[in-house]
Amino acid sequence: MPTFLTSEPEADTIAALGEALDLLDVGVAVLDPELRVRIVNRRFAELWPQPADTAPTLSEMNGEIVQAFNVSGNVPGQVPGTSGGSATA
């Protein structure tokens, strides 16, 4: 459990955490113990739009990633012609 440095109402804390996640330029998905998507940030939603009120599993999302790669040769959000792997010196 995270430590919060203020005693503001829970709803305000959750809103602030959501705003902070949305400032990131990378996609973030928070999963539950069954690996279902619970929370996604703005960038994740741009890369992997999902219908409202759905909670795909990590396995289902992985299938979508593989399918997108097979069709385009790039993962969603990747600049065409670049490697999705780690950079090496």
Side-chain angles (χ1 to χ4, degrees):
M1 182 71 170
T3 301
F4 299 103
L5 302 180
T6 65
S7 60
E8 64 188 5
E10 184 176 303
D12 292 345
T13 301
I14 292 170
L17 290 171
E19 291 168 7
L21 282 175
D22 280 342
L23 292 175
L24 300 174
D25 289 331
V26 297
V28 175
V30 177
L31 309 175
D32 69 12
E34 287 79 40
L35 300 181
R36 289 207 169 274
V37 176
R38 290 187 64 202
I39 301 167
V40 298
N41 71 339
R42 170 200 50 82
R43 183 65 177 139
F44 190 95
E46 290 170 356
L47 295 172
W48 296 107
Q50 296 293 317
D53 299 325
T54 62
T57 65
L58 184 59
S59 178
E60 291 165 345
M61 301 265 330
N62 187 43
E64 292 177 23
I65 293 168
V66 170
Q67 182 180 22
F69 181 78
N70 287 336
V71 169
S72 70
N74 294 300
V75 295
Q78 178 182 342
V79 176
T82 63
S83 168
S86 300
T88 57

